[in-house]
Amino acid sequence: MNAISGISDNAYGYLAPNTIAPAGKLYIQDITLRDGLHAMQRRYTLEQVRQIAKALDKAKVDAIEISRGDGLSGSSFHSGFGDHTDWDWIAAAASVVKHARLSALLVPGIGTVHDLKRAHDMGVSSVRIATHCTEADVTKQHIEYARHLDMDVSGLLMMSHMTSPEALAQQAKLMEEYGAHCVYVADSCGMMTMNDVAARSIAYAQILKPETRFGIYAQHQLSLGVANSITAVQHGATRVDLSLAGVGAGAGNTPMEVFIAAADTYGYQHNINLSDLIVAAETLVRPWQNRVLYLDQNSLNAGSNGLHADFSHTAKEAAHNHGIDSHSILSELGRRQIIGGQIDMVTDVALELSKRSNQQVENNSTMSK
Amino acid sequence: MNAISGISDNAYGYLAPNTIAPAGKLYIQDITLRDGLHAMQRRYTLEQVRQIAKALDKAKVDAIEISRGDGLSGSSFHSGFGDHTDWDWIAAAASVVKHARLSALLVPGIGTVHDLKRAHDMGVSSVRIATHCTEADVTKQHIEYARHLDMDVSGLLMMSHMTSPEALAQQAKLMEEYGAHCVYVADSCGMMTMNDVAARSIAYAQILKPETRFGIYAQHQLSLGVANSITAVQHGATRVDLSLAGVGAGAGNTPMEVFIAAADTYGYQHNINLSDLIVAAETLVRPWQNRVLYLDQNSLNAGSNGLHADFSHTAKEAAHNHGIDSHSILSELGRRQIIGGQIDMVTDVALELSKRSNQQVENNSTMSK
């Protein structure tokens, strides 16, 4: 009998034994209140933050991340300002959380060590320093400073599909050398297969110290989020990024309650109360979701062009504003290999394409005279 | 460049090569208009059938299944009557389909060879004979009769998780001996892991003739439907059951458009036009869905008790009618190892539990006098 879910181990009939189990318990990292903001268009109220943080804490989630989708100080004209500051949100969560560790995301170039210090002073004891998969060197001062503050610190390599497994592992190694306790594979586009996750997990295992932890962030774009997270766990990952009801950009993140139910069928150990999670997803998150999460043509175009799903929404808006189609914008952004922080490029590209298209019309009109 | 999706093979960056590819093209079996009926409470209009069948045909789906969720003649007081007969639906689909093969599901004990003959006369050229995973012997006359009619015929072993991989393969072998061209692993509860699917796929490969095809039906309960179908394909499956937008019982079936997008990232060959599918899912299926498909406590309880997700809805109704909780009904049904066709047992169990509970109240009241 699994003590957590109340499900008998034999209830499913004749299922395969768990071939590769992680050593010890999984560390469940909630990202509902951070990455989930993408899906709610950054419009959580403080009361919602308190309610969700309290429910996550009750369900015994190990860490709860609070900051904008783009991390601390990640508000801008392009990515939106939100109704409250990071500090308001952190204070709201800190006021209710008793068990879980509070964590924050920090993207160097968007957030600074000053933001980190302030978050730490407010009770944030864990930080994830995130950067593009080939840019680990920009995380050095932030990881070192987090260690100086005696925080738990992870390095997160976004868009991990854009470099080879071996090159990615080299970047993770740099983060380990800077002092990261944990390094992540982040499938920011949700276009990775189980093979892709396995290849990167194996590359990590070959190069990292045994004591360095390995984490997985998998988007649910191709509805492989749960499967990819399980695959990472089968290859040594112990930290898993999850959000209630899968709330997140595009087709969403790996849904926490579903991952935990799957983890139970695999017999993985964790601290979570599954029923509490299901209630939280159904009563606190789904009623506030402003859209159903599924694979649509826009998010598929974004992913297949190697772009974060957040670009799909922004490209749709820009396409509407400038009278061109969003598919062309996404193709052009993909051609330029735009990365996460460069979301202001969407408007630039839309303007350029619109200008080019008008020019074309003018030329045609001149020629026909 | 993938000719079907228009996605460049290199667009995703550095992803793993497709380690195990199926020989030839995948055969995409639509089940939107059959299993999807569970989710629409059997209320498709003939016009909807025509529109959906036409869209599936345009997208170049290989086979389109038309019949009730429980197969031909599967209407009853317990599983519902629907607004139209199987024959009305089949005629509607047959009137618009130009490319795809029309198929039907037949569950021995519910449908008969007379139903099969009638469907065949109306243009159904493929049939799947489905039974509980330990009852292959009841399919003999139906498979033989389908072969006599010169139909394409598959054997489908429902609740495949309830017996060991080796015992399941023995049942599949019987179906092959009766004449089935294809035998299925059917994860009717959606509680199988990728390990479970792999174990059954390997057992099939060891015992079946090389020319016998192998198919996968995976529910999306734990959002492993796409991953489990991919796993089956990696182990030799060439037929995949899918529904538009994942429409189906409980948390739904493997969503067709998502599976095809994933299959493209794996480089699998198929006939499907992905854009057509996405448009069909968005414009024809989602607007008519009467509920969002996700893992809730009820469907999780059904699955963890080894019951088809359809029981969850029925148990909820019975619980409401008889003033008891649905969790107790599902536990008792699980204890009795109720299978697919025994849905009338829900009311029996509800009545019994309700009687027992009233008896208890009476006893307590007598004792306190």
Side-chain angles (χ1 to χ4, degrees):
Chain A
M1 176 73 82
N2 181 316
I4 304 300
S5 67
I7 293 172
S8 157
D9 291 336
N10 294 319
Y12 309 120
Y14 293 88
L15 301 184
N18 171 27
T19 46
I20 319 168
K25 284 184 180 177
L26 295 177
Y27 175 103
I28 303 302
Q29 169 75 54
D30 174 69
I31 53 170
T32 308
L33 296 168
R34 199 267 309 162
D35 212 46
L37 293 179
H38 279 297
M40 310 277 278
Q41 296 174 325
R42 304 153 191 91
R43 289 283 180 273
Y44 280 44
T45 68
L46 296 180
E47 182 53 25
Q48 284 171 317
V49 168
R50 276 188 291 269
Q51 285 185 15
I52 292 175
K54 202 172 175 177
L56 289 164
D57 195 53
K58 178 166 182 270
K60 297 281 187 288
V61 161
D62 295 284
I64 300 173
E65 189 154 87
I66 326 265
S67 17
R68 244 152 266 272
D70 297 330
L72 291 174
S73 293
S75 62
S76 71
F77 280 105
H78 280 94
S79 63
F81 285 97
D83 288 342
H84 299 278
T85 66
D86 291 328
W87 320 116
D88 295 336
W89 282 332
I90 291 173
S95 74
V96 295
V97 167
K98 290 175 183 162
H99 154 84
R101 184 181 262 177
L102 280 186
S103 74
L105 186 82
L106 192 153
V107 180
I110 297 178
T112 67
V113 290
H114 303 288
D115 297 321
L116 183 56
K117 175 74 171 64
R118 185 164 173 186
H120 178 253
D121 289 346
M122 295 180 74
V124 171
S125 60
S126 173
V127 66
R128 284 116 59 80
I129 312 292
T131 190
H132 187 65
C133 59
T134 54
E135 314 286 320
D137 55 347
V138 305
T139 64
K140 186 169 188 286
Q141 68 158 316
H142 306 81
I143 291 176
E144 286 175 353
Y145 189 69
R147 286 300 300 262
H148 167 74
L149 291 174
D150 204 22
M151 294 176 83
D152 167 78
V153 54
S154 293
L156 206 145
L157 291 161
M158 298 189 290
M159 312 286 284
S160 290
H161 68 288
M162 289 185 79
T163 190
S164 70
E166 297 67 30
L168 189 76
Q170 290 288 351
Q171 297 286 306
K173 187 72 189 170
L174 282 180
M175 289 171 147
E176 179 191 68
E177 285 167 7
Y178 302 152
H181 299 101
C182 176
V183 283
Y184 270 80
V185 168
D187 180 19
S188 314
C189 286
M191 300 303 285
M192 273 195 200
T193 65
M194 287 90 80
N195 291 353
D196 301 321
V197 172
R200 282 158 182 79
S201 307
I202 291 166
Y204 273 30
Q206 282 170 343
I207 203 169
L208 298 173
K209 294 183 202 160
E211 66 268 28
T212 300
R213 288 183 275 287
F214 156 36
I216 179 77
Y217 164 92
Q219 280 228 351
H220 209 43
Q221 173 89 341
L222 296 177
S223 86
L224 293 176
V226 174
N228 281 340
S229 299
I230 293 282
T231 301
V233 170
Q234 287 184 319
H235 289 84
T238 54
R239 294 194 178 191
V240 187
D241 277 25
L242 303 162
S243 69
L244 286 171
V247 68
N253 293 308
T254 306
M256 187 183 292
E257 64 283 4
V258 185
F259 173 82
I260 295 296
D264 284 345
T265 72
Y266 274 87
Y268 297 157
Q269 299 300 303
H270 54 74
N271 292 318
I272 306 292
N273 183 309
L274 178 56
S275 290
D276 285 346
L277 279 190
I278 290 184
V279 170
E282 281 189 37
T283 62
L284 297 181
V285 176
R286 284 210 182 80
W288 296 337
Q289 259 177 331
N290 54 2
R291 60 189 184 87
V292 179
L293 304 174
Y294 58 81
L295 180 73
D296 64 8
Q297 190 72 59
N298 272 303
S299 61
L300 185 66
N301 282 344
S304 65
N305 284 302
L307 302 170
H308 186 277
D310 213 29
F311 280 95
S312 126
H313 175 72
T314 316
K316 216 168 173 176
E317 270 183 11
H320 178 77
N321 294 341
H322 300 282
I324 41 175
D325 73 294
S326 59
H327 187 81
S328 312
I329 300 179
L330 293 169
S331 298
E332 180 59 22
L333 290 167
R335 208 186 54 77
R336 297 188 190 185
Q337 298 213 305
I338 294 306
I339 64 172
Q342 302 175 320
I343 201 146
D344 54 340
M345 291 294 292
V346 177
T347 312
D348 289 2
V349 164
L351 277 169
E352 203 177 299
L353 292 178
S354 161
K355 205 171 149 190
R356 221 186 280 170
S357 151
N358 291 340
Q359 191 70 43
Q360 193 70 36
V361 171
E362 225 168 82
N363 289 350
N364 290 348
S365 136
T366 311
M367 280 165 66
S368 67
K369 274 180 192 169
Chain B
M1 177 72 82
N2 180 317
I4 305 299
S5 66
I7 293 171
S8 157
D9 291 336
N10 295 318
Y12 309 121
Y14 292 89
L15 302 183
N18 171 27
T19 46
I20 319 169
K25 283 184 180 176
L26 294 177
Y27 175 102
I28 302 302
Q29 169 74 55
D30 175 70
I31 54 169
T32 308
L33 295 168
R34 199 268 308 165
D35 212 46
L37 294 179
H38 280 296
M40 310 278 277
Q41 296 175 326
R42 305 153 189 92
R43 289 282 179 272
Y44 280 44
T45 66
L46 297 180
E47 183 52 26
Q48 283 171 317
V49 168
R50 275 188 291 268
Q51 285 185 14
I52 293 175
K54 203 172 174 176
L56 288 164
D57 195 52
K58 179 167 181 267
K60 295 282 187 288
V61 162
D62 295 286
I64 301 174
E65 190 155 86
I66 326 267
S67 19
R68 246 150 264 273
D70 297 330
L72 291 174
S73 293
S75 62
S76 70
F77 281 103
H78 281 93
S79 64
F81 285 97
D83 288 343
H84 298 279
T85 66
D86 291 328
W87 320 117
D88 295 337
W89 282 331
I90 291 174
S95 74
V96 294
V97 166
K98 290 176 184 162
H99 154 84
R101 183 181 262 177
L102 280 185
S103 75
L105 186 82
L106 192 153
V107 180
I110 297 179
T112 66
V113 290
H114 304 288
D115 296 322
L116 184 55
K117 175 75 171 62
R118 186 166 173 184
H120 178 254
D121 289 346
M122 294 181 73
V124 171
S125 61
S126 173
V127 66
R128 283 117 58 82
I129 312 292
T131 191
H132 187 66
C133 59
T134 55
E135 313 287 319
D137 55 347
V138 305
T139 64
K140 185 168 188 286
Q141 67 158 316
H142 306 80
I143 292 175
E144 287 175 352
Y145 190 69
R147 286 300 301 262
H148 166 74
L149 292 174
D150 205 22
M151 295 176 82
D152 168 79
V153 54
S154 292
L156 205 146
L157 291 161
M158 298 189 289
M159 312 286 282
S160 290
H161 68 287
M162 290 186 78
T163 191
S164 69
E166 296 69 28
L168 189 76
Q170 289 288 351
Q171 296 287 306
K173 186 72 188 169
L174 282 180
M175 289 171 147
E176 179 191 68
E177 285 167 7
Y178 302 153
H181 299 101
C182 175
V183 283
Y184 269 79
V185 168
D187 181 19
S188 314
C189 286
M191 300 303 284
M192 274 195 200
T193 65
M194 286 90 81
N195 292 352
D196 302 320
V197 172
R200 282 157 182 79
S201 307
I202 291 165
Y204 273 31
Q206 281 170 344
I207 204 170
L208 298 173
K209 294 181 199 160
E211 65 269 29
T212 300
R213 288 183 275 288
F214 157 37
I216 179 77
Y217 164 92
Q219 280 230 348
H220 209 44
Q221 173 90 341
L222 296 177
S223 84
L224 294 176
V226 173
N228 281 340
S229 300
I230 293 283
T231 301
V233 170
Q234 287 185 319
H235 289 85
T238 54
R239 294 196 179 189
V240 187
D241 277 25
L242 302 163
S243 69
L244 285 170
V247 68
N253 294 306
T254 307
M256 187 183 292
E257 63 283 5
V258 185
F259 173 83
I260 295 296
D264 283 344
T265 73
Y266 275 87
Y268 297 158
Q269 299 300 304
H270 55 74
N271 291 318
I272 307 291
N273 182 308
L274 178 57
S275 291
D276 284 346
L277 280 189
I278 290 183
V279 170
E282 281 188 36
T283 62
L284 297 181
V285 176
R286 284 210 181 80
W288 296 338
Q289 260 178 330
N290 54 3
R291 60 189 185 86
V292 180
L293 304 174
Y294 57 81
L295 181 73
D296 64 7
Q297 190 72 59
N298 272 304
S299 61
L300 185 65
N301 282 344
S304 65
N305 283 301
L307 303 170
H308 186 277
D310 212 29
F311 279 94
S312 128
H313 175 72
T314 316
K316 215 169 175 175
E317 269 183 13
H320 178 78
N321 293 341
H322 300 283
I324 42 176
D325 72 295
S326 60
H327 186 81
S328 313
I329 300 178
L330 293 170
S331 298
E332 180 60 22
L333 290 167
R335 207 185 56 76
R336 298 187 190 186
Q337 300 213 302
I338 294 307
I339 63 171
Q342 302 175 321
I343 201 147
D344 55 340
M345 291 295 291
V346 177
T347 311
D348 290 1
V349 164
L351 277 168
E352 202 178 301
L353 292 179
S354 162
K355 205 171 150 188
R356 221 186 278 170
S357 151
N358 291 339
Q359 191 70 44
Q360 194 69 36
V361 172
E362 225 167 81
N363 288 351
N364 290 349
S365 138
T366 313
M367 279 164 65
S368 67
K369 272 180 192 167

